Amino acid sequence: MENFLEQMAELFEVDSVNLQDEVIAFDAWDSLTGLSIIALADDEYGITITVNDILEAKTIQGLYALFNQKK
Amino acid sequence: MLFNPVSLLDKRYLITGAASGLGKATSILLSKLGAELILVDIDEEGLNDTSKMCSSNVIKVIINLYDISDLKAKIIDSVSKFGKLNGFVHLAGRPYISPLKSINEKTTTEVFMLNTYVGIELAKICTNRKIFAGESGSLVFISSVYGLVGSAANVGYAMSKSALHGVTKSLAIELAPKNIRVNCIAPGFIKTNMLQKISDSFNSEYNDTLTKLHPLGLGEADDVANSVAFLLSDMSKWITGSIMSVDGGFTAQ
């Protein structure tokens, strides 16, 4: 979990993230950040997700659940 | 006050390879133009020399660029003390002269790592909101005439330098929304220690041949430094994704 939160902070270009933070509320959220999350999911978690999956997940917690649900 | 469109006052840049050759000349010039600099190299003594010749606020950071996680940690630490960056110039690099039949994977990978991939990592680190100053963003890579034209016994080096051209153009598109420009300078042969070491391994005719390849003669380190200053300054604010030939006419032939 800690590693996941660090990875999210890196991609959203902030010092740290909270589980309840909304994905689209980050200043750094854009289509390229979306692609970065998809690439991370593929590279490090071995799962295939879409931008829609990310948007539906809504929050960092949702993304964490998404990553683990598809694992 | 005189109008100076290449003034770099209040700007901060990271310079790799700052201890010698092109990196040293570039650091000194940028400093004269008012830029504050993070000077990066593995050669502490050389960094001290460069630092003494700089007239603006500079800090020295000893980094082994092959160690990517150390690179990131040290840049973040330096920026926290120094202030956010407007960009960087990746001048560190190494030559690799080897004919195809003697090329090896280990050295080729190291050449690619230092000359090319470190540039990508620098871009990743320095364009992050925690590091980037948010305005007048400019990244400059240094390739070579041999990223543009062929020469024998140079395939590994050519791979690393021509790859930078693709990197430059891709990042120019990706970073334009952040108003960060990305350009590359492709120099001809410059009178530096690195060139001297290469020349020493050939006969005297090699030097004559080299000179003849450049209609304007061999270059000075300042010729490249001047171009870097232009590409960092707002004078080039509409230039991104370009490969600038600074080669005394080498590739015009």
Side-chain angles (χ1 to χ4, degrees):
Chain A
M1 174 70 128
E2 197 177 323
N3 185 38
F4 172 79
L5 293 178
E6 279 175 18
Q7 288 169 329
M8 290 299 115
E10 177 78 24
L11 294 184
F12 287 111
E13 302 182 29
V14 291
D15 290 330
S16 61
V17 296
N18 295 309
L19 287 173
Q20 63 273 26
D21 287 343
E22 283 198 30
V23 170
I24 59 170
F26 287 102
D27 286 343
W29 168 254
D30 59 13
S31 57
L32 287 172
T33 303
L35 274 178
S36 302
I37 294 170
I38 291 170
L40 176 80
D42 186 25
D43 280 352
E44 296 202 21
Y45 294 80
I47 58 168
T48 304
I49 60 170
T50 65
V51 171
N52 271 345
D53 290 336
I54 297 170
L55 293 173
E56 280 171 17
K58 278 194 174 168
T59 61
I60 297 295
Q61 184 156 32
L63 280 181
Y64 183 70
L66 174 67
F67 275 39
N68 286 286
Q69 175 196 327
K70 287 219 175 190
K71 226 171 187 176
Chain B
M1 198 166 141
L2 277 177
F3 173 60
N4 178 6
V6 288
S7 168
L8 297 174
L9 269 178
D10 302 322
K11 305 276 172 61
R12 286 185 210 90
Y13 303 97
L14 179 142
I15 313 292
T16 67
S20 62
L22 294 181
K24 183 175 187 176
T26 299
S27 301
I28 294 166
L29 177 70
L30 299 181
S31 169
K32 281 181 187 163
L33 291 168
E36 299 185 350
L37 305 171
I38 298 178
L39 305 175
V40 170
D41 209 292
I42 199 168
D43 170 10
E44 186 170 8
E45 204 177 318
L47 269 189
N48 287 336
D49 280 352
T50 303
S51 166
K52 280 179 200 153
M53 296 173 80
C54 286
S55 44
S56 63
N57 187 22
V58 302
I59 58 171
K60 299 167 283 183
V61 186
I62 316 291
I63 300 181
N64 173 3
L65 290 172
Y66 291 104
D67 185 346
I68 296 294
S69 59
D70 188 47
L71 169 69
K72 185 179 176 189
K74 283 185 173 162
I75 291 178
I76 290 172
D77 179 58
S78 302
V79 165
S80 70
K81 295 172 189 156
F82 196 65
K84 290 185 175 182
L85 302 176
N86 297 91
F88 68 80
V89 189
H90 181 39
L91 285 137
R94 55 165 288 183
Y96 182 29
I97 293 177
S98 169
L100 181 61
K101 64 175 74 175
S102 61
I103 200 161
N104 76 74
E105 183 185 352
K106 181 173 178 290
T107 309
T108 305
T109 305
E110 284 174 10
V111 168
F112 177 75
M113 184 73 184
L114 179 62
N115 292 1
T116 317
Y117 188 70
V118 165
I120 296 176
E121 279 291 335
L122 284 170
K124 184 177 169 186
I125 297 164
C126 294
T127 60
N128 188 293
R129 281 159 200 259
K130 291 187 281 181
I131 303 293
F132 175 49
E135 57 179 17
S136 297
S138 178
L139 316 183
V140 178
F141 297 112
I142 306 296
S143 70
S144 162
V145 287
Y146 290 142
L148 290 164
V149 299
S151 82
N154 222 3
V155 60
Y157 185 72
M159 169 204 69
S160 72
K161 293 302 191 178
S162 60
L164 279 173
H165 298 171
V167 169
T168 298
K169 289 171 190 287
S170 291
L171 289 183
I173 303 301
E174 184 160 340
L175 296 174
K178 284 189 168 183
N179 206 19
I180 298 172
R181 299 179 297 104
V182 186
N183 293 288
C184 182
I185 294 170
F189 283 75
I190 308 291
K191 295 168 197 160
T192 64
N193 287 339
M194 187 156 115
L195 175 61
Q196 192 59 48
K197 280 179 196 158
I198 296 169
S199 302
D200 288 348
S201 57
F202 292 90
N203 58 28
S204 62
E205 279 175 29
Y206 181 74
N207 285 326
D208 297 340
T209 309
L210 266 190
T211 307
K212 281 181 192 153
L213 286 169
H214 303 75
L216 292 178
L218 292 183
E220 307 279 351
D222 276 345
D223 293 322
V224 174
N226 292 340
S227 307
V228 171
F230 169 71
L231 287 175
L232 291 181
S233 78
D234 290 339
M235 212 180 183
S236 60
K237 69 184 175 62
W238 206 46
I239 300 178
T240 194
S242 75
I243 314 300
M244 184 189 277
S245 287
V246 180
D247 63 7
F250 187 119
T251 52
Q253 304 174 84

